[in-house]
Amino acid sequence: MKTFKQYSKEDEGFYIDDNGIAVFTDILGHGDKPKSINKPKKVVKESASAVKQIAKEKSFDNWSHESIHDGKEIDDDEHVEEKSDQLWQHHERHQQKNPLSNEQKKSIKSYTKHSERFNKHLIEKHTLKSRRKVPDHHWDGMNGIPDDKERAAHDEMHKHLSAAYHPIGGHFKLWAGVSPRVSKAVKKSKDGIIHPGGGHISTTYDKDVAQTFAAKKTKGPDGLKQPYGKHHYMCIHAKPKDNVLSTEHNSKWKSEREVLVKDKLKHIGTTKHYVKHSFKKADGSYDEHTTEHHVDHFEIHHDGSK
């Protein structure tokens, strides 16, 4: 029998399974809900050359694809990123050759409208299947628990979405603005592997979109927003054969440029970047703040397990 302390750890939004993997019991990605901002901790040593290069660019605002990937130092780097419009074109070509069914298009549109409730159901199923306790607050603020009809619709939707995944076709970076618990889960895991807990991870290839989500989740212990507080991100270094799903063509919110991932992720490093803000006050003095952008970098992890 598990102790109350063990169940409390699961209420943090994840648990560590028997293999040392951090399995999330709540949404991972842009649906991730923050509780508070943690104090800065020691940075994990970067292991991928792309992460090391990114670490040199301290300013988050000045961090452009060109500045990161320019120079002889990474000419042979397998992580060299193609432009985001190339990712969009690749998905377009793929869907021209392999047209989505009406059910798949409908499922994508439905996902972009109701992803939080849908993912909550998938994660609940996975948690119960893993013989774990679903946190008591799992359905808080969600307008009630889904009935059997809604659950059946979610299962059908999950089947259509999963069948629409395909290789990303290049080296791209996928972003998500998240809460501090992603960093916490990485630190507590055995090998830096995190599991979305049965749900789909909502990411974007537009860093500015991820920054908007990160800002929304930057809150203090009192639950109030801290616009200049520490922002947290996931940056997934996707490779050509990694399976993802672009929702942009059929999305309710096309401007989010959303890309779904449903595999486990392996942590490959952490970088920190900074933006200074200065505002002139009525008395002529200046109010200055520096925002830290904490980026946890991952690769999609393939080990054959669910």
Side-chain angles (χ1 to χ4, degrees):
M1 179 181 292
K2 285 203 284 285
T3 64
F4 175 77
K5 185 177 180 181
Q6 285 174 305
Y7 279 133
S8 295
K9 288 182 179 179
E10 292 184 2
D11 285 347
E12 292 177 345
F14 65 88
Y15 63 87
I16 306 301
D17 71 7
D18 295 338
N19 296 315
I21 296 173
V23 183
F24 276 70
T25 56
D26 207 343
I27 298 168
L28 178 60
H30 282 161
D32 183 22
K33 295 290 185 180
K35 289 187 177 180
S36 65
I37 290 295
N38 293 335
K39 293 180 179 179
K41 297 182 180 180
K42 185 177 179 181
V43 178
V44 179
K45 184 178 179 181
E46 302 89 357
S47 59
S49 57
V51 178
K52 291 179 181 178
Q53 187 67 17
I54 289 170
K56 296 177 182 179
E57 181 54 74
K58 295 301 181 184
S59 172
F60 197 75
D61 281 348
N62 294 336
W63 180 359
S64 67
H65 299 320
E66 290 74 18
S67 65
I68 295 170
H69 296 293
D70 221 350
K72 297 179 181 179
E73 184 174 347
I74 57 168
D75 280 349
D76 298 323
D77 183 8
E78 67 172 352
H79 294 278
V80 171
E81 183 180 359
E82 299 169 37
K83 293 181 180 179
S84 57
D85 60 347
Q86 291 178 325
L87 173 57
W88 186 87
Q89 290 167 8
H90 172 74
H91 283 287
E92 188 174 52
R93 288 195 300 269
H94 175 84
Q95 292 183 5
Q96 286 174 349
K97 293 180 180 179
N98 304 275
L100 295 174
S101 67
N102 290 333
E103 290 81 6
Q104 288 171 329
K105 291 178 181 179
K106 182 179 178 181
S107 294
I108 290 173
K109 189 168 186 178
S110 181
Y111 178 91
T112 60
K113 292 169 63 179
H114 309 292
S115 62
E116 188 173 5
R117 193 169 177 83
F118 166 72
N119 274 322
K120 286 269 190 181
H121 172 219
L122 295 184
I123 292 168
E124 180 189 61
K125 282 181 61 177
H126 185 275
T127 303
L128 293 172
K129 186 177 180 180
S130 302
R131 297 182 181 276
R132 299 276 177 166
K133 180 181 182 295
V134 176
D136 294 336
H137 57 76
H138 188 73
W139 290 105
D140 286 359
M142 296 301 298
N143 296 319
I145 299 173
D147 57 20
D148 290 344
K149 183 179 179 180
E150 185 178 358
R151 290 176 186 274
H154 286 166
D155 290 340
E156 190 72 9
M157 181 174 154
H158 177 54
K159 181 181 73 174
H160 292 309
L161 288 175
S162 298
Y165 274 69
H166 62 85
I168 195 169
H171 292 279
F172 299 101
K173 289 182 178 61
L174 304 176
W175 292 86
V178 297
S179 70
R181 69 179 176 199
V182 171
S183 294
K184 190 173 183 180
V186 167
K187 293 178 188 298
K188 288 191 174 184
S189 67
K190 180 182 177 182
D191 299 309
I193 299 174
I194 63 175
H195 189 308
H200 297 255
I201 307 172
S202 291
T203 72
T204 176
Y205 58 81
D206 188 329
K207 181 164 68 75
D208 292 337
V209 172
Q211 185 173 350
T212 299
F213 279 95
K216 290 179 180 179
K217 297 170 185 180
T218 303
K219 297 181 180 180
D222 54 3
L224 298 177
K225 290 184 179 180
Q226 293 183 330
Y228 306 112
K230 184 177 179 181
H231 289 28
H232 287 257
Y233 305 82
M234 295 191 336
C235 177
I236 302 173
H237 297 238
K239 299 177 182 179
K241 294 184 179 180
D242 290 334
N243 285 322
V244 301
L245 175 59
S246 172
T247 70
E248 188 169 354
H249 289 289
N250 300 284
S251 175
K252 173 72 173 176
W253 311 106
K254 297 183 185 296
S255 61
E256 290 185 0
R257 298 177 174 180
E258 189 172 20
V259 179
L260 306 187
V261 176
K262 60 185 178 69
D263 292 303
K264 293 193 284 290
L265 303 175
K266 168 77 172 178
H267 193 257
I268 59 174
T270 300
T271 61
K272 293 183 179 182
H273 313 270
Y274 303 88
V275 175
K276 291 184 178 180
H277 308 273
S278 180
F279 299 95
K280 190 173 183 178
K281 297 190 292 186
D283 62 3
S285 63
Y286 284 86
D287 188 7
E288 296 183 345
H289 303 273
T290 298
T291 298
E292 177 185 331
H293 296 266
H294 178 104
V295 185
D296 283 303
H297 298 263
F298 297 87
E299 290 179 341
I300 294 177
H301 184 64
H302 307 282
D303 64 1
S305 64
K306 299 293 186 182

